[in-house]
Amino acid sequence: MKVEIQWKKLVKPSVPTPSDQRKWKLTSIDELQMPNYVGVIFYYRDNAGNPGVDISQRLHQMEESLSKTLTLFYPMAGRYIEDDDGCFIDCNDLGVDFVHAKVDGQIDQLLHRDPDMDLLEYLSQFPNNLVGNPLVVIQVNTFECGGIAIGLRSTHRISDVHTMAIFVNSWATACRGNVDVTVCPNFELSSLFPMKVSAVANWPPPRIIGSKEFTVSRFRFSGDAVSKLRALARDDAKDSMGNNFQPSRVEHDFWALRSTRGQQKESEFNEMVNIIHNMISDAKTKYATIVNKQEFCSTVGNSIAEFVKVASSSEVFTIPFSSWCRFGLYEIDFGWGRPVLVSNISLNLRSVFLIDDEEGKGIDAWTTTTGDEMILLKQDPDILAFTS
């Protein structure tokens, strides 16, 4: 499919940001985050219930409601600044990128096949450098059939998927004409975790469009498959962890995709579920006992530094997992219905992003790895037994 940009503009908040809110300080945790843009794509089929609404009207409505939403999420319309005083967001109302692109194809062609990493990039293009550029980039892609794919990217320095979910849901609510009931966020976290010393992790550079090193596939665990895996994990682990052990949906999907590189998978299932469960429990306990905010920031910084070191090593095979479940991403309705698909935008490293399926009962595992490794995953009997 060919994606052609039609126009690009900056959308600014409908009301100027007050002068006393112009400088938004980052937290020490923000500064340690990946500097590149992460994001999500929402896919919508044409809504036959609105036959009189053309794309120009929809784009105008989206732009107008976006401008109103940015008055609440005002740092997102600013710019990232680095100077002698440190790093901060200049809430100067310069705006977010709002892009319209046309795709020469049908949206169903994209929905019913393995995603193409290059196409995912073209559906949500973004700046290569954070400094001086918009912090949020929104690209509305329209298909020949009337379908729409909305790509939303934001720098990880100011938002995670939870923040993006709140933002895009507020925007969609405003687009439906309900701006008065949108969520009003709080931007006072820097008072709890002030940035003392700038510490930048050596994250890998953004992936270059056209690179064939990695490929992405969606492994679909239905609601029934999730239930069977949870039951299997509970039965295998109850002798060592007690009858009250209840593995979460995320814990057993960690095992399902991790175990394919091991041998004797049936005997490893008990062990892997126990390890994952204990690691999550230990992390909760470790952070819950920290009462000093400086110690908390230091602990987070050390954890991120350790992860980057391990992930960058050629001697260790690492697959980061991130769960985007329970964020209501399939509830985002701009006025023409819920999305038929929600996908992540793959990074330049092996990774697995877990997202609720459209019914909210199953889990889609968006998996990025090399071509040869993907073949092994798709041929693995355990993966075949629980996915579609």
Side-chain angles (χ1 to χ4, degrees), residues 253-262 268 272 276 317 319 321:
D253 271 312
F254 279 179
W255 170 82
L257 290 164
R258 164 62 180 84
S259 66
T260 57
R261 290 185 62 84
E268 286 184 348
M272 286 303 303
I276 293 169
F317 186 91
I319 302 181
F321 281 72

Side-chain angles (χ1 to χ4, degrees), residues 288-302:
T289 56
I290 298 175
V291 295
N292 182 282
K293 57 187 177 183
Q294 281 77 23
E295 181 185 357
F296 180 86
C297 294
S298 176
T299 302
V300 173
N302 292 337

